[in-house]
């Protein structure tokens, strides 16, 4: 249901041809975006690197597209060019841009106040809805999934009195220090490339194992010093890597065996269904974290925990007089505007009906890409998780982070992204991911298939002509 794999003959890529076409596409991009170019030049005066957040430099082209407006599954840039948006804010706008129900809820709430440091009725409604969807009784709210993960980790350390967090090689869980770690040459946690200003060496806080490796997981948990495992139910930030049959069951059994709490991060895997993979597959984590789409684009996040974890928190009392300085919380967290947006999103947008509509479109997207791959005999493949799909430039599915990282072809990725961008399609910048919005159409999907075929044809020539 979730995995599509094609094992095909290995075609040889002409790197000189790739470079020539990539240079041509970049020149076209510059020529067609004079206003974005001018804004980027102006931004150099006051924005570091010309962007408001440094990772925005990762967009393809010699500068990022500057956005003017967006609605649903499309947006327009300052040069007046319209795009089908398959990136959707890397899941932050999975609801589509400015969904009507969320806009209405914000219009109703804004005149009545934005933040009070006090609870609202919406908070009760959202917590009850999250409990129904994910099966965990108690919930707290944040401004991001990063915060939710940080706070969940702190709570796990607090109740277990253990120092280590276990994460998976090449995972990503937002700006969480403990998760910026990879397996080093000595087998222990080491700095992930690109990490900025880590407070301590990762090995002081973190253990890292490969996804889908049960033996390595048990070896890391056996000493009894791991407070929690932080995991997506399918890796998504290094490409979609599904668990092998039985792996999630083993993860749950081993964490229970060694007294380690299990945190499932559903921030991206909410694409699988209204309750993410937890709801779809009946997972039983101790804690869940989530952010991005549950507010319809408004900054928010949440973490939930079981009654058992709540009991542990009561046993290891969080002092009322000092709980505001315990490292969990934030002045703007659970503000009434965010709570209104979350209620509207969960009640009216991220509904079972949306998934019933969108998942078949993701299947159509996947089948279109597979058809082109077969036509040209390419060593590529595509995988899907609910209404999320992603293609890889390798013939078989990676089973862990190392295999995924080794499959990255930076020049080929850049080419596919800018080729699509120049023809009005935005893919996710960090990988080749497409997400389906509530108003994405079959015509949008088929247009992507057409552009994908054109990109392959430009690179490899006529059908069947790829060098073997």
């Amino acid at each position: 249901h979730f995995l599509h794999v094609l094992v095909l003959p290995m075609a040889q890529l002409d790197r000189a041809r790739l470079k020539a076409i990539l240079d041509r596409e970049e020149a076209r991009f510059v020529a067609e975006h004079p206003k974005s170019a001018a804004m980027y030049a102006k931004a150099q005066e006051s924005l570091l690197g010309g962007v408001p957040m440094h990772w925005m430099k990762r967009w393809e082209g010699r500068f990022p597209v500057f956005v003017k407006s967006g609605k649903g599954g499309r947006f327009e840039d300052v040069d007046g060019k319209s795009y089908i948006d398959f990136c959707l804010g890397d899941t932050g706008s999975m609801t589509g841009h400015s969904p009507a129900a969320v806009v209405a809820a914000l219009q109703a709430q804004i005149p009545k106040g934005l933040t009070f440091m006090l609870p609202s009725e919406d908070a009760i409604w959202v917590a009850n809805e999250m409990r129904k969807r994910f099966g965990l009784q108690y919930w707290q709210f944040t401004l991001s999934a990063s915060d939710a993960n940080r706070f969940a980790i702190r709570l796990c350390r607090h109740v277990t009195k253990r120092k280590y967090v276990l994460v998976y090689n090449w995972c990503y869980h937002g700006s969480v220090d403990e998760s910026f770690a990879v397996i080093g040459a000595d087998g222990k946690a080491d700095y992930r490339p690109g990490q900025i200003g880590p407070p301590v060496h990762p090995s002081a806080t973190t253990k890292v194992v490969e996804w889908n490796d049960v033996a390595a997981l048990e070896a890391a948990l056996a000493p009894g010093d791991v407070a929690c495992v932080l995991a997506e139910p399918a890796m998504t930030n290094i490409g979609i890597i599904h668990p092998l049959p039985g792996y999630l069951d083993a993860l749950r059994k081993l964490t229970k065996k060694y007294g380690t709490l299990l945190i499932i991060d559903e921030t991206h895997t909410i694409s699988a269904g209204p309750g993410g993979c937890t709801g779809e597959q009946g997972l039983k984590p101790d804690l869940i974290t989530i952010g991005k789409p549950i507010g319809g684009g408004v900054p928010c996040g949440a973490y939930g925990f079981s009654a058992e974890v709540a009991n542990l928190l009561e046993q290891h009392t969080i002092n009322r007089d000092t709980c505001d300085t315990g490292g969990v919380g934030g002045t703007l967290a659970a503000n009434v505007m965010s709570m209104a947006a979350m209620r509207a999103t969960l009640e009216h947008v991220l509904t079972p009906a949306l998934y019933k509509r969108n998942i078949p479109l993701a299947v159509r997207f996947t089948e279109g890409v597979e058809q082109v791959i077969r036509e040209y005999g390419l060593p590529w493949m595509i995988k899907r998780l609910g209404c999320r799909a992603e293609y890889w430039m390798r013939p078989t599915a990676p089973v862990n982070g190392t295999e995924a990282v080794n499959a990255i072809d930076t020049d080929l990725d850049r080419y596919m992204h800018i080729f699509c961008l120049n023809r009005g399609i935005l893919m996710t910048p960090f990988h080749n991911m497409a997400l389906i919005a509530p108003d994405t159409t079959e015509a949008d999907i088929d247009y992507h298939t057409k552009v994908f075929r054109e990109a392959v044809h430009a690179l490899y020539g006529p059908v069947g002509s790829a060098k073997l």
Side-chain angles (χ1 to χ4, degrees):
H1 177 65
F2 290 116
L3 182 60
H4 293 258
V5 178
L6 291 175
V7 181
L8 297 163
M10 182 65 69
Q12 295 179 356
L13 177 63
D14 185 336
R15 292 286 169 179
R17 185 173 183 174
L18 171 60
K19 183 180 184 308
I21 302 175
L22 183 55
D23 289 346
R24 182 191 71 197
E25 292 294 326
E26 288 185 342
R28 173 178 171 175
F29 174 84
V30 172
E32 293 182 355
H33 295 85
K35 291 184 179 179
S36 281
M39 286 190 177
Y40 183 63
K42 180 65 175 176
Q44 303 293 328
E45 299 174 6
S46 55
L47 296 174
L48 180 66
V51 288
M53 177 53 68
H54 67 276
W55 47 252
M56 290 183 183
K57 292 179 73 69
R58 286 203 61 181
W59 288 104
E60 298 312 327
R62 297 177 188 174
F63 45 83
V65 164
F66 279 67
V67 68
K68 179 181 179 181
S69 64
K71 182 64 178 174
R74 290 179 175 268
F75 75 95
E76 183 178 323
D77 71 16
V78 294
D79 287 286
K81 297 178 72 68
S82 178
Y83 301 85
I84 299 168
D85 190 354
F86 286 122
C87 172
L88 295 173
D90 196 15
T91 310
S93 293
M94 177 181 154
T95 54
H97 301 293
S98 297
V102 177
V103 171
L106 294 176
Q107 289 172 332
Q109 180 61 53
I110 287 172
K112 297 187 292 185
L114 304 181
T115 187
F116 298 95
M117 288 183 68
L118 291 168
S120 65
E121 182 180 354
D122 285 340
I124 300 172
W125 190 96
V126 173
N128 282 329
E129 179 66 16
M130 297 293 277
R131 181 178 63 177
K132 293 174 187 175
R133 291 185 180 218
F134 294 99
L136 295 181
Q137 185 167 355
Y138 295 102
W139 290 85
Q140 296 279 275
F141 299 100
T142 68
L143 287 177
S144 69
S146 294
D147 280 348
N149 282 321
R150 276 191 286 267
F151 301 162
I153 287 171
R154 278 185 174 270
L155 291 176
C156 290
R157 282 182 167 146
H158 181 72
V159 300
T160 65
K161 306 305 179 186
R162 296 178 177 183
K163 65 180 289 188
Y164 288 111
V165 175
L166 187 145
V167 299
Y168 289 96
N169 206 26
W170 298 101
C171 69
Y172 182 82
H173 295 280
S175 54
V176 177
D177 287 326
E178 292 89 343
S179 68
F180 282 105
V182 294
I183 299 174
D186 61 356
K188 296 181 180 179
D190 203 355
Y191 297 113
R192 179 167 179 162
Q195 190 177 8
I196 297 172
V200 297
H201 192 277
S203 62
T205 62
T206 305
K207 294 184 180 184
V208 187
V209 299
E210 291 285 10
W211 181 242
N212 282 320
D213 188 336
V214 175
L217 175 65
E218 181 160 21
L221 295 179
D225 53 5
V226 176
C228 59
V229 173
L230 175 59
E232 294 182 286
M235 293 185 75
T236 65
N237 276 284
I238 196 67
I240 299 171
I241 309 176
H242 292 276
L244 294 175
Y247 185 75
L248 293 180
D249 288 339
L251 171 60
R252 180 67 282 193
K253 290 176 182 177
L254 289 172
T255 49
K256 283 184 175 294
K257 177 180 178 180
Y258 293 106
T260 297
L261 295 173
L262 175 59
I263 307 171
I264 292 292
D265 183 347
E266 290 273 17
T267 301
H268 280 177
T269 52
I270 189 67
S271 64
C277 289
T278 298
E280 291 298 303
Q281 301 175 34
L283 307 181
K284 302 293 182 182
D286 300 297
L287 299 94
I288 282 176
T289 56
I290 192 170
K292 290 189 179 179
I294 61 171
V298 173
C300 64
Y303 58 101
F305 44 92
S306 65
E308 290 76 14
V309 172
N311 289 335
L312 289 173
L313 287 170
E314 290 178 358
Q315 294 170 22
H316 301 272
T317 306
I318 298 177
N319 191 294
R320 178 185 178 189
D321 294 329
T322 58
C323 63
D324 59 326
T325 56
V328 173
T331 304
L332 296 176
N335 67 77
V336 293
M337 184 180 72
S338 292
M339 299 311 305
M342 280 189 271
R343 177 172 182 169
T345 301
L346 296 172
E347 188 171 7
H348 300 294
V349 188
L350 292 180
T351 63
L354 175 137
Y355 291 91
K356 185 177 181 180
R357 175 196 182 276
N358 284 8
I359 288 176
L361 288 174
V363 172
R364 188 183 185 98
F365 183 100
T366 300
E367 290 174 346
V369 171
E370 287 179 335
Q371 180 181 349
V372 176
I373 290 173
R374 285 194 300 268
E375 287 175 5
Y376 284 83
L378 300 177
W380 298 0
M381 59 168 295
I382 186 166
K383 295 199 292 184
R384 182 179 62 83
L385 180 65
C387 54
R388 178 187 186 100
E390 183 162 5
Y391 41 84
W392 296 71
M393 284 66 172
R394 61 169 283 154
T396 58
V399 299
N400 58 44
T402 295
E403 289 187 9
V405 167
N406 290 340
I408 293 173
D409 189 321
T410 302
D411 289 341
L412 195 51
D413 286 346
R414 287 177 57 210
Y415 166 68
M416 296 301 294
H417 277 263
I418 199 166
F419 194 98
C420 287
L421 192 62
N422 281 341
R423 289 152 184 82
I425 295 175
L426 187 75
M427 301 289 287
T428 305
F430 312 127
H431 33 91
N432 300 303
M433 189 274 287
L435 197 62
I436 308 301
D439 59 352
T440 301
T441 65
E442 289 186 352
D444 294 333
I445 301 296
D446 294 345
Y447 179 67
H448 170 269
T449 301
K450 176 178 178 292
V451 170
F452 184 82
R453 180 179 283 106
E454 290 172 355
V456 170
H457 181 83
L459 193 57
Y460 286 101
V463 170
S465 68
K467 297 178 181 178
L468 303 180

